[in-house]
Amino acid sequence: MNLEPVFSELLVGSLRKWSERKVDECILSISVPVSQTDPLTTLPLIAEKHQFRFLWDLSPEFCISAGGHCQSLDLSGPKRFENAQRFSDEIFTRLIDTSPSPAFSASRILFSFSFFDQIKSNEKSIDDKFSLQAVLPKWQLTAKDGLTWLRLNSIVQNPSDVREATERLWSTREKINRSPGRIVHDLKENFLIDNFSDDWKSQYRDALAKGIELINAGSLDKLVLATRQRLFLKKPLDPLNLLARLRVQQTNSCRFLWQKNHDESFFGASPERLISLNKNMLSIDALAGTAKKGDDGKELLASSKDLREHHFVVNSIVEQLLRKGIKASHSSQPKLITQGHLIHLHTLIQAYVRETAPLDLVQALHPTPAVAGLPLSKSLSWLRALESFDRQTYASPIGWIDKNQNSEFRVAIRYGYVRGNELKLFAGAGLVKGSTVDGEMQEVALKFEVLRNQLNLDKVNFSNDL
């Protein structure tokens, strides 16, 4: 089948579809195949005139990059998930897809939520609320199975708008075809440190001690306390260089980027699917329990403490689904999953669902006990009290919904936030009966070590994490 487009046919098809519109202000979505190219390396080209950039990287199987806003909605407050689903439904009602394209390249709305529905009133970085958004991007580049498609979303009001959008898409297609994959990222780049803060250690020790006291007293079954380390770089880092490296180091993960502008972004490599919906098949990753340094996973599989922590997560997810009328299946015992140098306990939970709004499921499942605790309401209150910072988008849902209501959301862990020369790394540990302060400090120190190694940070400055 010859997929090579002809400009005149593309324009005629777009004009015809627009003329058949059922709403006055529609969103035209035009797509064309391009030469096989990597959405990660081509992201600077499609987003060169835009501040917003997004990456969803499951390469070599699947990758999406996006740039610019066509339509967006700021999200906060207790109704943020309902508002986001309403926004998604309304956008797809107005969207006119003018050209036939593979299902994998469908238009997507991108979402980033905060962990809590409101940012702490005493948090200085209130402007970080930029990341709490739903975005229909201006540009979308999608690659799967050796095929790559470019898509432009644009608001059109008259035939001249249709022609202008089609010409812009065609011009960008030609740019990509002339220089596919030419932007090479330096996988050996060393991010030099000017200074770093170690104040997380004493604060985190105190929080862990109080958390374990609550667990042992029976007030909580589980509590997941997070902390962060602040680093100051000699020059701003390019998150795409880091994400290209994570492809090699974190193969069992989804690498993600949400970039407000060239100076500010958050990114990570999440092994944990909050939900994945594909043609009514729901898949969820229950991930809890981390092997100690030097453990190949055998001790982890035999650890009553870690197995208890893991089963809390699995049982909670299954119960939440049952409340939605969804009966899920899963194996009785977890398996090991390796992500870089970290080994975790993992259980795949699956179910068949009918006509369920993706964000209704996200709302029901976020946050899981893997990143919060049990009972949930009491755990969230204690996280607010014991953590000295606002989580903002750390451990929060990030993902997308396409026009067919297929979707995927990940839990934003293995996470870094950068603004200018300041980099913040985030990590956490789950407390259950049997947890110790020293043991949890060692787990978090290991997670920070893995994150820093991926950045090629100067290890001389980090000789002792405890």
Side-chain angles (χ1 to χ4, degrees), residues 38-303:
D38 182 352
L40 185 154
T41 61
T42 312
L43 178 54
L45 190 154
I46 66 170
E48 60 183 347
K49 296 180 180 179
H50 302 284
Q51 295 291 310
F52 173 74
R53 298 181 181 189
F54 172 88
L55 182 73
W56 189 265
D57 182 30
L58 288 160
S59 296
E61 290 84 14
F62 179 65
C63 187
I64 307 168
S65 63
H69 287 194
C70 176
Q71 296 276 268
S72 64
L73 176 71
D74 292 334
L75 301 171
S76 63
K79 293 186 179 297
R80 57 201 171 127
F81 294 106
E82 296 98 313
N83 292 339
Q85 186 65 56
R86 192 178 302 114
F87 171 81
S88 174
D89 295 341
E90 188 266 338
I91 289 296
F92 286 132
T93 298
R94 292 169 51 203
L95 188 137
I96 300 174
D97 199 338
T98 69
S99 47
S101 59
F104 76 82
S105 67
S107 300
R108 286 174 169 82
I109 298 177
L110 317 173
F111 299 89
S112 170
F113 294 93
S114 59
F115 185 86
F116 293 102
D117 57 18
Q118 297 287 352
I119 288 178
K120 277 185 178 180
S121 59
N122 64 345
E123 184 71 16
K124 292 182 180 179
S125 301
I126 295 298
D127 54 347
D128 291 343
K129 291 171 76 172
F130 80 89
S131 52
L132 321 179
Q133 285 190 326
V135 176
L136 176 70
K138 174 71 71 174
W139 294 99
Q140 178 182 310
L141 188 64
T142 313
K144 183 179 181 181
D145 299 331
L147 300 175
T148 310
W149 280 71
L150 176 68
R151 180 176 294 278
L152 173 66
N153 298 309
S154 182
I155 296 175
V156 295
Q157 296 178 328
N158 52 59
S160 63
D161 289 342
V162 177
R163 173 176 282 278
E164 181 184 353
T166 308
E167 289 176 345
R168 202 179 325 146
L169 176 69
W170 196 263
S171 174
T172 302
R173 170 187 178 269
E174 293 303 298
K175 286 182 182 178
I176 293 174
N177 286 346
R178 286 195 301 268
S179 59
R182 296 289 175 83
I183 304 168
V184 179
H185 292 277
D186 182 5
L187 300 186
K188 296 182 180 180
E189 180 180 3
N190 187 33
F191 301 97
L192 298 176
I193 300 298
D194 249 351
N195 193 9
F196 67 96
S197 172
D198 246 356
D199 59 4
W200 71 271
K201 296 177 185 176
S202 60
Q203 294 174 354
Y204 196 49
R205 274 190 174 277
D206 292 343
L208 288 174
K210 179 60 178 177
I212 290 172
E213 179 184 324
L214 292 166
I215 297 291
N216 291 337
S219 298
L220 299 171
D221 294 319
K222 179 177 179 178
L223 185 66
V224 184
L225 284 171
T227 187
R228 66 181 179 182
Q229 183 172 50
R230 299 171 68 208
L231 310 164
F232 300 92
L233 308 174
K234 289 190 174 181
K235 63 177 183 178
L237 64 83
D238 179 354
L240 291 181
N241 281 350
L242 172 61
L243 289 159
R245 182 184 298 149
L246 289 178
R247 280 183 170 176
V248 179
Q249 298 174 331
Q250 301 289 339
T251 53
N252 292 324
S253 70
C254 176
R255 285 76 61 186
F256 60 86
L257 168 69
W258 191 282
Q259 185 167 345
K260 175 186 178 183
N261 53 47
H262 299 301
D263 192 50
E264 188 175 4
S265 60
F266 71 87
F267 50 84
S270 175
E272 187 172 350
R273 284 177 297 183
L274 184 63
I275 70 162
S276 174
L277 269 176
N278 184 17
K279 297 179 181 178
N280 299 107
M281 179 55 67
L282 173 67
S283 299
I284 299 170
D285 292 314
L287 199 75
T290 303
K292 297 180 174 63
K293 196 169 185 177
D295 177 16
D296 61 2
K298 291 181 180 179
E299 291 182 24
L300 182 63
L301 282 172
S303 167

Side-chain angles (χ1 to χ4, degrees), residues 81 274 316 320-321 323-324 358-368 376:
F81 294 106
L274 184 63
S316 174
Q320 289 296 333
L321 292 176
R323 291 191 180 111
K324 304 299 263 182
L359 288 169
D360 189 33
L361 288 172
V362 172
Q363 181 176 20
L365 294 172
H366 171 75
T368 72
L376 180 59

Side-chain angles (χ1 to χ4, degrees), residues 369-441:
V371 292
L374 284 172
L376 180 59
S377 180
K378 290 177 67 175
S379 296
L380 293 177
S381 296
W382 278 110
L383 291 182
R384 283 295 209 187
L386 295 177
E387 293 178 349
S388 60
F389 59 94
D390 193 286
R391 291 193 178 194
Q392 297 175 16
T393 53
Y394 169 68
S396 64
I398 181 172
W400 51 265
I401 299 174
D402 73 15
K403 67 172 186 176
N404 302 314
Q405 294 300 296
N406 296 317
S407 64
E408 184 166 333
F409 284 82
R410 294 269 171 162
V411 181
I413 55 176
R414 309 297 180 267
Y415 169 105
Y417 174 86
V418 64
R419 174 183 287 168
N421 287 40
E422 182 182 17
L423 171 65
K424 298 174 185 175
L425 302 178
F426 292 72
L431 309 180
V432 294
K433 283 188 176 179
S435 295
T436 64
V437 171
D438 286 344
E440 304 310 320
M441 286 290 291

